[in-house]
Structure formats: structure tokens, C-alpha cells
Amino acid sequence: MNDLPFWKSKTLAEMTVAEWESLCDGCGLCCLNKIEEWDSGDIYFTSVSCKLLDGQSCRCSSYENRWEFVPDCVQLTKENVPDIAWLPPTCGYRLVGEGRDLYWWHPLVSGDPETVHAAGISARGRTISESEIDIDDLEDYVVDWPLTVGEEKDDEKA
């Protein structure tokens, strides 16, 4: 009998829908607006969130119907995860797809959906909704913390 949790014993392609959905840690980082430089392909995170992101829970406020409001919302799939360069380094989909383990604060490991926030990994309290800014000013909101969240915590555990 295999006692390993599913994310250690299955590939992304082998996961059920429920397992797949549970890989989302609820950080909200993928729901931040990003800027891509056309010439270099460099991607920059901003602190501006999708209008559907609930800033407290860091979950989509209309997940099932999100495409009605945000037609260009990117659906993470088993096929496209390896090709999405902007997935945060702490993303469960990215980690499992790369054959790595989930962090201690991931709800599947901790058993508590609040640990992602307590560990300082999430977007909670760090964003402004895109509905509250002039989108022409998006460059004024470029931040690097979505790419560095968890580094201090990892350093402390090392």
C-alpha cells in the first residue's frame, strides 16, 4: 500500500479534478496583473490584482463564472503548467510539475488554509484591485515580492 500523499505519488496528469484543485494553496499570486515586455519577453508582477480576487481570502470571488467577467483569465491545466513562466516559485502546480515537494505552509501539508497567509506567502493585504486604478499607470505598481515570498522563511529553516 502506498502511504505517500498524492502529490508525491502522482504526476500532474494522473491527478483527479479534486486533487488538482487542492494543489492551489490560495496565495492569490497568480491573480496579480503582470506586464510582459514584448521585445525581451521579461515578465513583471504588479501589486494590482484581478477585479475578482478577494483580498482577504486570496481566492477568486467568482471562480466558476470567472470567464464571464475576465475572458482572458488563464486556466491552469495539466498541459500548460510547464509552459507558464510567470507561475510563482512557491506555486504547488509548479513545484509538483518539477518533481519537488510542497512547502510546510501549503494547506495540503499543514492541514490549515491559513498557513499560507501566516507564512507571508500570499497576496493578502498587499494588493489593490485593478478596478481602483487607471490601467495606464500599471507600471507604477511593479513589485518583486511575488518572486521572493518565502525566501526569508526558507532561510530560517535552513
Side-chain angles (χ1 to χ4, degrees):
M1 183 152 117
N2 187 354
D3 290 338
L4 290 176
F6 73 87
W7 64 89
K8 290 184 178 185
S9 61
K10 292 183 176 184
T11 66
L12 293 176
E14 295 170 328
M15 291 183 188
T16 66
V17 171
E19 289 168 340
W20 175 265
E21 291 293 327
S22 71
L23 275 183
C24 176
D25 58 28
C27 71
L29 299 180
C30 62
C31 299
L32 299 178
N33 281 262
K34 295 145 208 81
I35 298 171
E36 182 176 0
E37 286 189 5
W38 293 106
D39 55 339
S40 68
D42 291 344
I43 298 170
Y44 301 93
F45 277 84
T46 72
S47 59
V48 178
S49 68
C50 170
K51 62 187 173 186
L52 296 179
L53 183 69
D54 177 313
Q56 181 63 24
S57 70
C58 292
R59 297 284 184 166
C60 183
S61 62
S62 188
Y63 186 70
E64 295 300 321
N65 303 308
R66 63 194 181 276
W67 291 292
E68 292 175 32
F69 306 102
V70 184
D72 60 346
C73 178
V74 175
Q75 169 78 37
L76 296 183
T77 67
K78 298 167 185 180
E79 295 77 28
N80 71 7
V81 162
D83 300 322
I84 300 178
W86 50 258
L87 284 177
T90 55
C91 175
Y93 297 101
R94 168 175 267 184
L95 294 169
V96 172
E98 293 174 352
R100 297 167 47 207
D101 199 359
L102 300 176
Y103 289 99
W104 65 269
W105 45 259
H106 192 288
L108 287 172
V109 177
S110 71
D112 182 355
E114 285 297 309
T115 52
V116 67
H117 308 297
I121 305 304
S122 77
R124 182 182 281 173
R126 301 181 187 200
T127 64
I128 184 169
S129 174
E130 65 189 3
S131 60
E132 297 177 33
I133 70 155
D134 181 340
I135 206 68
D136 291 335
D137 296 333
L138 192 59
E139 292 158 348
D140 295 341
Y141 295 89
V142 169
V143 293
D144 66 354
W145 55 262
L147 298 172
T148 61
V149 290
E151 287 182 356
E152 313 83 35
K153 303 289 182 189
D154 287 342
D155 290 344
E156 290 172 13
K157 288 191 172 284

